[in-house]
């Protein structure tokens, strides 16, 4: 396998993984890998149609992911960082009390000390986490389609 194919494929896989991170433009990395490989291999003209398809999928993934986040996150009515901290902290505290006091007593301690203050926030936090997950999965699906096109039509 030539070096440029390996570099393009590695860049595309990094882009695919980057779709789960909110600020990383993973789909742009996949498009850049396709264009970079085609320019260096001299197959730009034969790949113009697929570049258009990749560009449309990239735009759909980026703007569609933002639209999904904007539609689902206002329903949570809490800050993104706070909601994720509540969800992670609640789960971590449940595990910690289970480890320290055993499964039954740990759950009882967690419910008495921590659960009462967190229960009103659990529904809103879970709405936030589900919204972020839905947006990430939408972007991941579009990026995966881009990767399939890159592998089977351009490389």
């Amino acid at each position: 396998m030539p070096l440029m194919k390996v570099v393009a494929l590695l860049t595309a896989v990094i882009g695919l993984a980057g779709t789960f991170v909110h600020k990383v433009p993973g789909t742009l990395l996949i498009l850049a890998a396709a264009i970079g490989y085609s320019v260096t291999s001299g197959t730009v003209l034969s790949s113009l149609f697929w570049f258009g398809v990749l560009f449309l999928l990239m735009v759909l993934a980026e703007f569609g992911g933002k639209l999904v986040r904007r539609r689902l996150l206002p329903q949570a009515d809490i800050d993104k960082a706070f909601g994720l901290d509540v969800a992670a902290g609640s789960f971590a505290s449940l595990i910690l009390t289970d480890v320290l006091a055993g499964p039954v007593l740990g759950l009882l301690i967690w419910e008495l000390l921590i659960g009462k203050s967190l229960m009103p926030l659990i529904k809103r936090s879970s709405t936030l986490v589900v919204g972020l997950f839905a947006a990430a999965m939408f972007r991941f699906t579009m990026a995966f389609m881009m990767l399939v096109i890159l592998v089977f039509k351009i490389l």
Side-chain angles (χ1 to χ4, degrees):
M1 188 180 247
L3 180 64
M4 282 313 296
K5 279 189 178 182
V6 172
V7 169
L9 194 57
L10 185 63
T11 304
V13 169
I14 290 170
L16 182 65
T19 59
F20 281 116
V21 181
H22 173 61
K23 299 290 184 185
V24 176
T27 53
L28 186 60
L29 283 173
I30 297 171
L31 182 65
I35 292 172
Y37 175 76
S38 293
V39 166
T40 57
S41 67
T43 59
V44 173
L45 292 177
S46 64
S47 301
L48 283 178
F49 171 75
W50 293 111
F51 289 152
V53 172
L54 289 176
F55 181 76
L56 287 175
L57 284 172
M58 181 193 72
V59 169
L60 182 64
E62 295 303 320
F63 289 115
K66 287 182 184 188
L67 182 67
V68 168
R69 273 196 315 273
R70 286 193 181 136
R71 289 284 294 161
L72 294 177
L73 295 188
Q75 295 173 0
D77 195 34
I78 53 176
D79 183 55
K80 197 178 344 179
F82 178 72
L84 291 174
D85 287 346
V86 166
S90 174
F91 185 68
S93 65
L94 179 61
I95 290 175
L96 185 64
T97 55
D98 281 354
V99 167
L100 292 176
V104 176
L105 187 58
L107 180 62
L108 182 63
I109 292 171
W110 181 83
E111 191 65 43
L112 291 174
L113 299 178
I114 300 164
K116 285 183 180 178
S117 60
L118 288 177
M119 283 307 178
L121 298 174
I122 294 291
K123 184 175 189 284
R124 290 189 282 168
S125 294
S126 62
T127 303
L128 178 82
V129 170
V130 166
L132 290 174
F133 181 74
M137 282 308 297
F138 181 78
R139 288 182 68 210
F140 180 80
T141 304
M142 295 295 120
F144 186 75
M145 285 193 283
M146 291 175 71
L147 184 65
V148 167
I149 290 170
L150 173 70
V151 168
F152 291 109
K153 294 296 182 183
I154 296 176
L155 291 184

